[in-house]
Amino acid sequence: MYASHGMMGAVRDVCVIGLGLIGGSVLRAAKAAGRTVWGATASKEDADNARAEGFDIVSVDEALSRSAEALVVLAVPMPALPDLLRKVPAGTRLTDVTSVKGPVHDAVHRYAKDVRFVGGHPMAGTSKSGWGAGSKTLFQGAAWVVTPEEADDHLNDVIQLALDLGAHVVPTTPEEHDEAVARISHLPHIMAAILAAVGADGGPLAMALAAGSFGDGTRVAGSRPELVRAMCEGNRDALLMAVDDALGRLGAARGSLASTGGLAKTIEAGHDGRNVLVNQPQRTRITIDLTKPGALAALRNLGSRGGRVVGLNGSTAQAETS
């Protein structure tokens, strides 16, 4: 089914399976953008709360049975994907919001070979979880990764949804995505967990003195442990490389502190790294014709350079790159 969407013409209805922080936010934001939406979840609490806000929440089987012409968004933890994918009808237009991409692509090819799939991952969230943590504005200005295997009309549908939800789209491969998020998302969860445990071991005085730097550094340690485990353990190989890098830097810092008492290299490298994040380079506008041969390579190249798709006009993507 389709819904009217102003000057952009007709766009697909949206079915969201899983109504936690991200899935619930997708459902809210898609409705706010003018889409017809419905959803399903294994959580009775999330289902009841969503219905209380006026959303159309049904069983997983019914949600999927309605979705022959809709865009289905899977928003469940990685361990729940295999059983869910077995239920998805052939030909379904599918995307996901899972925080790893290689294992998701593998699972889709194994359990749902006949669907049309573009992987996705919005880089947005909080340390809270569940339907109540969601917001229709969660994705405003956020990077939304897509990992397409071909440039086609289904990719256009997924890009348009992300844009309608307020995000900008970063195309890449599953492998490049997983290596990047291991460093900027999954490793920070591990470091936050360690920092929180080290601080707590300092006893009541340490906790009484804990202020901004400790709170900022440990914020994501407040996330539900089972969700963090699913995310980090699902990206084991890439995370191991990031952990090894961090251990090497910690070892160098310890060696310098023990031998000379100095931490200049460690502190200055961290300061420089933070400045890279804060001082993003000026971007220029380019267009990519998604109907031309080489469009997929052009999109992936855009993403690898830190570029993003900010608009879609028919089959032409408006993009920004540094």
Side-chain angles (χ1 to χ4, degrees):
M1 291 183 287
Y2 294 86
S4 176
H5 192 63
M7 297 300 292
M8 292 303 295
V11 294
R12 293 188 182 276
D13 299 345
V14 176
C15 168
V16 183
I17 310 295
L19 299 177
L21 168 64
I22 301 299
S25 296
V26 171
L27 197 72
R28 290 180 173 99
K31 182 177 181 179
R35 306 275 186 128
T36 297
V37 302
W38 61 91
T41 176
S43 167
K44 184 179 184 302
E45 179 181 1
D46 287 343
D48 290 344
N49 289 336
R51 288 192 188 100
E53 292 185 27
F55 286 90
D56 183 8
I57 309 301
V58 296
S59 69
V60 170
D61 290 341
E62 183 177 346
L64 291 173
S65 72
R66 294 187 192 178
S67 300
E69 297 296 333
L71 178 58
V72 177
V73 182
L74 302 185
V76 301
M78 184 66 205
L81 270 180
D83 286 342
L84 178 55
L85 286 169
R86 290 186 181 98
K87 297 181 178 182
V88 178
T92 298
R93 292 172 179 262
L94 197 66
T95 187
D96 77 305
V97 291
T98 315
S99 61
V100 292
K101 295 274 66 76
V104 172
H105 277 255
D106 291 345
V108 170
H109 288 306
R110 181 174 181 181
Y111 300 111
K113 296 178 182 179
D114 297 321
V115 302
R116 301 185 67 185
F117 177 69
V118 171
H121 179 204
M123 302 301 298
T126 71
S127 59
K128 298 179 181 179
S129 59
W131 171 264
S135 166
K136 67 181 180 181
T137 62
L138 182 66
F139 309 112
Q140 292 293 323
W144 190 300
V145 177
V146 295
T147 52
E149 297 177 347
E150 58 183 315
D152 59 9
D153 64 316
H154 178 45
L155 172 60
N156 292 6
D157 286 341
V158 174
I159 289 175
Q160 190 62 62
L161 176 65
L163 295 174
D164 285 353
L165 271 52
H168 52 256
V169 175
V170 180
T172 187
T173 66
E175 296 78 15
E176 287 188 343
H177 166 273
D178 290 353
E179 290 173 5
V181 297
R183 290 179 173 272
I184 56 84
S185 178
H186 303 165
L187 179 64
H189 276 87
I190 301 300
M191 299 295 282
I194 293 169
L195 179 59
V198 169
D201 283 350
L205 177 60
M207 293 295 95
L209 298 179
S213 60
F214 186 77
D216 291 345
T218 61
R219 178 184 63 82
V220 296
S223 304
R224 283 170 52 190
E226 66 272 21
L227 297 181
V228 177
R229 283 191 58 195
M231 174 176 63
C232 293
E233 292 170 2
N235 199 21
R236 175 184 173 183
D237 292 342
L239 183 54
L240 278 171
M241 291 189 291
V243 169
D244 285 344
D245 191 350
L247 287 174
R249 293 171 186 268
L250 282 171
R254 187 196 185 285
S256 179
L257 185 63
S259 61
T260 68
L263 287 171
K265 288 185 177 180
T266 297
I267 301 302
E268 289 168 5
H271 184 75
D272 291 344
R274 173 67 182 181
N275 283 339
V276 171
L277 173 65
V278 173
N279 301 317
Q280 294 285 334
Q282 193 78 18
R283 295 180 180 272
T284 58
R285 284 288 184 108
I286 63 170
T287 61
I288 299 173
D289 187 342
L290 300 179
T291 66
K292 287 187 174 181
L296 180 59
L299 286 170
R300 288 173 170 173
N301 185 51
L302 173 75
S304 68
R305 301 198 312 271
R308 57 195 181 183
V309 175
V310 296
L312 194 62
N313 184 8
S315 293
T316 301
Q318 287 81 47
E320 293 181 350
T321 184
S322 45

